[in-house]
C-alpha cells in the first residue's frame, strides 16, 4: 500500500480491514484514528494501517522503535521496525515527520496493550514518509518552555501537554453543552460586531473597512456614509445586551463566543481575544437563584472531569490531560482544584461591604496602610486571598457599589442610599481571582432610563435596547464567564495563553 486512500470506502473494501470494521462496529465514514485503534483494538495478527507524526525514534540492534501520534489522544502508538539499520537509514526518518505505516497488529511486550510490527520483507507491509521536516524542526523529545513554544504557533500543539489541553478544552465544552441542554436552554449566536459598549469601559476595537478608512483619512468630520455600517462599530466585549433580546423570546439562552478587549495588559489572566460563556435567564426571582445556578454549572463540569478519570476508555477528557503530564505535582494540583470545586458545603456568599471589612480586618490586620475604603475596587490579590486563604473555597461577592458597575444593573434588595449598591455578583476562585460576573438586569423602563441619564449615555443610540423594556419585559438576569480562565483553573495551568490555540495579546499576533 504505497499511497494514501482517498476515501474510507476504498480503505474498507480491502479484505485485511473488512473484519476490523465489522467486528468493532465502525459507522464513521473516516478511517480509524490511533485513539480508535487503542480504544477498540482490532484482532491480534491483523494487518493494520496507522498514520501520524513521529514523536521519537529509538534504534536497537534487532529492532527500531517509533512513537507515532496523530493528535487524537495523548497516547502514542508504538511501531516496531524489523531490520532497523537498513530501514531507518534508507528512509532517513526524523522526529516530526508524518508517516504512514502498514504492519501487523500484535500484543505488546511493553507498557501498551498493542503495537504495530513493520517488516519490510513482508509484501503486505509498507512504511513511507508523507511529510518531511526541516533540520531545524523545533519540537523534539525534550522539555521546552511555554514561552519558547509560543514562538512556534503552528507547531506548539504537537507537544503532549498543549495538545491534551485542547482536547481537555473540548471535553469541558461538551460538558457545558450537556448542562445547559439539561436545563432547557437554547444555544444562540449573538453578533460579534456591535455599535454598543456593553460594559462602558471604552476598551474596544473599532471595526471599519480599509476602503472607508482611506476615503475618510483627511476628513475632519465623518458622516454615516463614511462608515461601512453607517455608524461607528466595534468588536464586542460582551454579547450580553443582544442575549437579553433573545432571552425575552426564548426564555433561557446561552452562548460561547469570542470577545475582544483593547486592554493593554499582558498578565497571565488576560487576552485581547478570548472566549466568553454568557447566559441570560428570564423569570428569575432574585440574585440567589443566579448564584446557585452558576455554582451548579461549574460543579457539573468538575464532576464530569472526575468521573472521566474512572472511565477506562481513552476519553479525551481529564484522563487525557492527566496522562500527558508526568509531573506528580501537576496532577495533584489539578485533582485538588476539582475537589475544591466539589466541596460538600455550598460555596459561601458575602456582600462587597463584608468583603472590604474582612480584607481590612484580617488581611491588612487593621493597619491603615493599604486599607480599603468603601467604594474602592477589590483587586485581584484581595480576591485570591479571600478565596484561597480566608474561605479556602470559591466564594460569591455580591452587591457591589453602583458606581463600579454598568448601567443595566438594578438596585440591591437591601438598598442603602448612603451606600448605594446593585444586585450583582462576582464568583472568585482560589489562585485565579474573578471567574464569573453576573447580575439581575433592570427590567423597569423608567428606572433604566433614569440610570442611563445619570451616566450621560446617548439614549437614541440605545433605543433598540430600551425597547425591550417597553414590549413585554420580564424579570431576568445573567452572567459571563471567561472560558480560558475556567480551563486554566481546572487544568492547573498558570497562564491563559497556554489554553487557547492562538493567544492574542498586546504586541503579539504571530500568525
Amino acid at each position: 500500500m504505497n499511497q494514501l486512500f482517498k476515501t474510507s470506502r476504498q480503505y474498507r473494501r480491502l479484505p485485511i480491514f473488512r473484519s476490523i470494521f465489522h467486528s468493532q462496529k465502525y459507522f464513521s465514514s473516516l478511517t480509524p484514528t490511533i485513539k480508535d485503534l487503542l480504544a477498540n483494538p482490532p484482532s491480534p495478527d491483523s494487518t493494520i494501517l496507522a498514520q501520524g507524526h513521529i514523536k521519537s525514534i529509538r534504534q536497537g540492534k534487532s529492532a527500531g522503535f517509533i512513537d507515532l501520534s496523530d493528535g487524537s489522544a495523548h497516547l502514542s502508538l508504538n511501531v516496531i521496525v524489523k531490520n532497523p539499520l537498513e530501514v531507518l537509514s534508507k528512509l532517513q526518518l526524523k522526529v516530526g515527520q508524518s508517516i504512514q505505516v502498514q504492519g501487523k497488529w500484535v500484543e505488546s511486550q511493553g507498557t501498551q496493550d498493542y503495537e504495530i510490527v513493520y517488516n519490510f520483507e513482508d509484501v503486505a507491509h509498507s512504511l513511507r514518509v508523507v511529510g518531511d521536516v526541516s533540520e531545524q524542526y523545533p519540537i523534539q523529545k525534550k522539555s521546552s518552555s511555554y514561552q519558547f513554544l509560543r514562538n512556534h504557533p503552528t507547531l506548539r500543539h504537537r507537544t503532549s501537554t498543549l495538545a491534551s489541553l485542547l482536547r481537555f478544552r473540548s471535553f469541558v465544552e461538551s460538558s457545558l453543552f450537556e448542562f445547559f441542554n439539561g436545563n432547557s436552554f437554547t444555544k444562540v449566536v449573538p453578533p460579534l460586531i456591535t455599535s454598543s459598549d456593553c460594559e462602558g469601559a471604552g476598551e474596544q476595537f473599532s471595526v471599519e473597512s480599509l476602503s472607508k478608512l482611506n476615503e475618510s483619512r483627511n476628513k475632519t468630520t465623518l458622516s454615516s456614509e463614511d462608515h461601512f455600517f453607517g455608524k461607528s462599530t466595534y468588536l464586542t466585549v460582551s454579547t450580553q445586551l443582544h442575549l437579553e433580546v433573545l432571552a425575552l423570546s426564548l426564555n433561557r439562552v446561552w452562548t460561547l463566543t469570542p470577545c475582544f478587549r483593547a486592554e493593554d495588559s499582558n498578565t497571565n489572566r488576560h487576552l485581547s481575544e478570548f472566549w466568553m460563556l454568557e447566559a441570560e435567564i428570564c423569570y428569575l426571582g432574585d440574585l440567589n437563584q443566579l448564584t446557585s445556578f452558576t455554582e451548579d454549572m461549574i460543579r457539573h463540569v468538575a464532576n464530569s472531569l472526575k468521573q472521566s478519570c474512572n472511565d477506562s476508555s481513552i476519553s479525551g477528557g481529564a484522563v487525557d490531560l492527566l496522562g500527558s503530564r508526568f509531573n506528580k505535582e501537576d496532577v495533584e494540583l489539578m485533582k485538588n482544584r476539582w475537589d475544591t470545586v466539589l466541596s460538600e458545603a455550598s460555596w459561601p456568599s458575602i456582600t462587597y461591604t463584608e468583603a472590604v471589612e474582612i480584607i481590612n480586618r484580617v488581611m491588612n490586620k487593621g493597619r491603615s496602610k493599604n486599607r480599603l475604603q468603601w467604594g474602592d475596587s477589590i483587586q485581584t490579590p484581595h480576591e485570591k486571598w479571600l478565596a484561597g486563604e480566608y474561605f479556602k473555597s470559591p466564594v460569591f461577592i455580591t452587591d457591589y457599589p453602583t458606581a463600579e458597575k454598568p448601567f443595566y444593573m438594578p438596585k440591591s434588595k437591601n438598598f442603602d442610599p448612603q451606600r448605594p449598591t446593585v444586585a450583582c455578583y462576582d464568583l472568585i476562585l482560589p489562585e485565579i481571582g474573578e471567574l464569573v460576573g453576573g447580575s439581575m438586569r433592570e427590567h423597569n423602563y423608567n428606572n433604566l432610563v433614569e440610570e442611563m441619564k445619570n451616566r450621560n449615555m446617548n439614549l437614541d443610540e440605545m433605543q433598540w435596547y430600551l425597547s425591550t423594556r417597553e414590549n413585554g419585559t420580564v424579570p431576568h438576569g445573567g452572567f459571563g464567564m471567561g472560558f480560558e480562565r475556567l480551563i486554566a483553573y481546572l487544568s492547573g495551568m498558570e497562564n491563559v495563553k497556554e489554553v487557547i490555540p492562538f493567544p492574542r495579546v498586546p504586541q503579539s499576533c504571530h500568525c
Side-chain angles (χ1 to χ4, degrees):
M1 190 181 307
N2 293 321
Q3 60 180 356
L4 287 170
F5 296 105
K6 295 181 180 178
T7 69
S8 67
R9 290 184 179 178
Q10 289 173 296
Y11 182 92
R12 283 183 280 178
R13 282 195 198 107
L14 298 173
I16 57 175
F17 300 128
R18 207 170 285 151
S19 62
I20 299 171
F21 279 95
H22 286 296
S23 64
Q24 299 302 331
K25 298 183 179 179
Y26 283 98
F27 298 106
S28 173
S29 61
L30 306 176
T31 56
T33 63
I34 287 177
K35 174 182 176 179
D36 296 330
L37 293 172
L38 295 176
N40 300 289
S43 302
D45 297 327
S46 301
T47 301
I48 198 73
L49 175 76
Q51 303 164 114
H53 294 96
I54 297 175
K55 299 279 285 186
S56 69
I57 306 172
R58 305 178 302 282
Q59 186 171 317
K61 292 182 179 180
S62 59
F65 304 89
I66 299 172
D67 289 333
L68 193 65
S69 172
D70 66 358
S72 59
H74 76 277
L75 293 174
S76 57
L77 180 62
N78 196 26
V79 178
I80 309 298
V81 179
K82 298 295 185 181
N83 307 101
L85 291 176
E86 184 171 350
V87 175
L88 298 182
S89 60
K90 180 180 178 181
L91 292 176
Q92 296 184 328
L93 296 181
K94 301 188 287 286
V95 170
Q97 289 173 325
S98 58
I99 65 170
Q100 180 191 70
V101 58
Q102 180 179 304
K104 183 186 291 187
W105 183 258
V106 300
E107 293 186 0
S108 175
Q109 301 299 313
T111 56
Q112 287 189 357
D113 293 332
Y114 294 93
E115 58 195 12
I116 290 179
V117 175
Y118 166 71
N119 186 345
F120 81 99
E121 294 179 345
D122 191 322
V123 294
H125 293 193
S126 66
L127 192 158
R128 74 181 186 90
V129 175
V130 177
D132 204 355
V133 295
S134 68
E135 295 297 329
Q136 292 76 40
Y137 182 75
I139 311 300
Q140 299 294 321
K141 195 176 176 66
K142 62 180 181 179
S143 178
S144 298
S145 71
Y146 292 126
Q147 180 61 54
F148 170 81
L149 293 172
R150 280 180 225 140
N151 294 322
H152 300 280
T154 63
L155 297 172
R156 69 183 194 134
H157 303 109
R158 303 273 179 91
T159 61
S160 296
T161 298
L162 291 183
S164 287
L165 278 167
L166 293 186
R167 292 188 292 269
F168 182 89
R169 181 183 175 118
S170 176
F171 181 90
V172 171
E173 188 172 335
S174 297
S175 178
L176 288 164
F177 266 90
E178 178 184 63
F179 175 78
F180 282 105
N181 285 344
N183 282 279
S184 302
F185 278 72
T186 301
K187 188 174 187 299
V188 293
V189 283
L192 301 184
I193 297 175
T194 178
S195 60
S196 307
D197 183 357
C198 177
E199 301 194 355
E203 297 168 339
Q204 294 176 285
F205 293 100
S206 62
V207 175
E208 193 54 86
S209 71
L210 290 177
S211 60
K212 290 291 185 182
L213 281 176
N214 291 330
E215 290 171 7
S216 60
R217 192 175 301 277
N218 297 321
K219 294 183 179 181
T220 55
T221 58
L222 301 179
S223 65
S224 61
E225 288 79 13
D226 294 315
H227 297 287
F228 185 86
F229 293 104
K231 60 169 70 174
S232 296
T233 51
Y234 314 93
L235 292 176
T236 188
V237 297
S238 168
T239 65
Q240 177 208 312
L241 303 185
H242 293 91
L243 276 186
E244 288 188 57
V245 174
L246 297 174
L248 290 168
S249 296
L250 299 171
N251 195 335
R252 301 174 184 177
V253 297
W254 77 288
T255 190
L256 182 59
T257 57
C259 289
F260 308 85
R261 287 193 184 167
E263 182 179 4
D264 194 4
S265 176
N266 237 321
T267 74
N268 63 357
R269 301 168 67 247
H270 291 90
L271 293 163
S272 299
E273 177 188 35
F274 58 99
W275 286 70
M276 181 89 83
L277 185 150
E278 297 182 270
E280 289 293 321
I281 309 169
C282 288
Y283 308 105
L284 283 174
D286 57 39
L287 192 66
N288 291 333
Q289 284 182 279
L290 206 49
T291 56
S292 295
F293 181 82
T294 303
E295 179 173 347
D296 291 343
M297 175 187 72
I298 297 173
R299 281 180 178 270
H300 175 85
V301 173
N303 190 55
S304 296
L305 291 169
K306 200 160 187 177
Q307 286 184 346
S308 74
C309 292
N310 301 322
D311 187 353
S312 60
S313 69
I314 305 171
S315 66
V319 173
D320 192 306
L321 187 55
L322 288 169
S324 70
R325 305 182 82 173
F326 304 105
N327 188 321
K328 185 178 179 181
E329 293 178 357
D330 289 341
V331 172
E332 288 303 312
L333 175 63
M334 288 175 63
K335 290 184 175 180
N336 287 339
R337 288 185 174 183
W338 303 345
D339 289 338
T340 297
V341 168
L342 295 170
S343 61
E344 290 187 13
S346 296
W347 300 343
S349 179
I350 58 174
T351 65
Y352 164 87
T353 302
E354 291 169 332
V356 168
E357 189 276 327
I358 292 170
I359 291 167
N360 287 335
R361 176 173 53 85
V362 183
M363 185 180 182
N364 293 335
K365 299 179 180 176
R367 295 187 292 260
S368 58
K369 184 181 180 181
N370 299 324
R371 181 179 179 82
L372 287 180
Q373 301 299 319
W374 197 93
D376 289 344
S377 294
I378 296 177
Q379 302 296 327
T380 300
H382 300 137
E383 294 173 341
K384 290 181 178 180
W385 176 84
L386 278 169
E389 300 296 324
Y390 190 80
F391 286 103
K392 296 180 171 59
S393 162
V395 57
F396 292 103
I397 302 178
T398 67
D399 302 285
Y400 281 79
T402 303
E404 277 201 20
K405 293 298 181 179
F407 70 95
Y408 50 76
M409 296 185 181
K411 294 177 181 179
S412 295
K413 194 172 185 179
N414 299 314
F415 184 77
D416 180 359
Q418 300 302 314
R419 288 184 168 183
T421 57
V422 287
C424 67
Y425 71 96
D426 284 350
L427 172 63
I428 58 176
L429 266 61
E431 302 176 84
I432 195 169
E434 181 193 350
L435 176 66
V436 180
S439 77
M440 299 296 290
R441 316 307 193 194
E442 180 58 77
H443 66 280
N444 181 282
Y445 175 83
N446 292 328
N447 292 344
L448 187 58
V449 168
E450 181 183 358
E451 184 60 31
M452 293 171 75
K453 286 180 177 179
N454 290 340
R455 297 175 185 241
N456 297 315
M457 295 179 64
N458 187 327
L459 299 186
D460 291 335
E461 285 289 328
M462 295 297 292
Q463 185 54 44
W464 68 271
Y465 180 71
L466 285 170
S467 69
T468 62
R469 272 60 174 176
E470 297 179 293
N471 297 285
T473 184
V474 301
H476 62 286
F479 61 85
M481 176 180 70
F483 192 53
E484 281 75 28
R485 289 188 186 181
L486 176 69
I487 299 299
Y489 181 76
L490 294 176
S491 65
M493 297 299 293
E494 292 184 4
N495 199 318
V496 293
K497 296 181 185 71
E498 268 56 82
V499 300
I500 192 168
F502 300 96
R504 303 307 193 209
V505 295
Q507 305 300 310
S508 179
C509 183
H510 287 290
C511 61

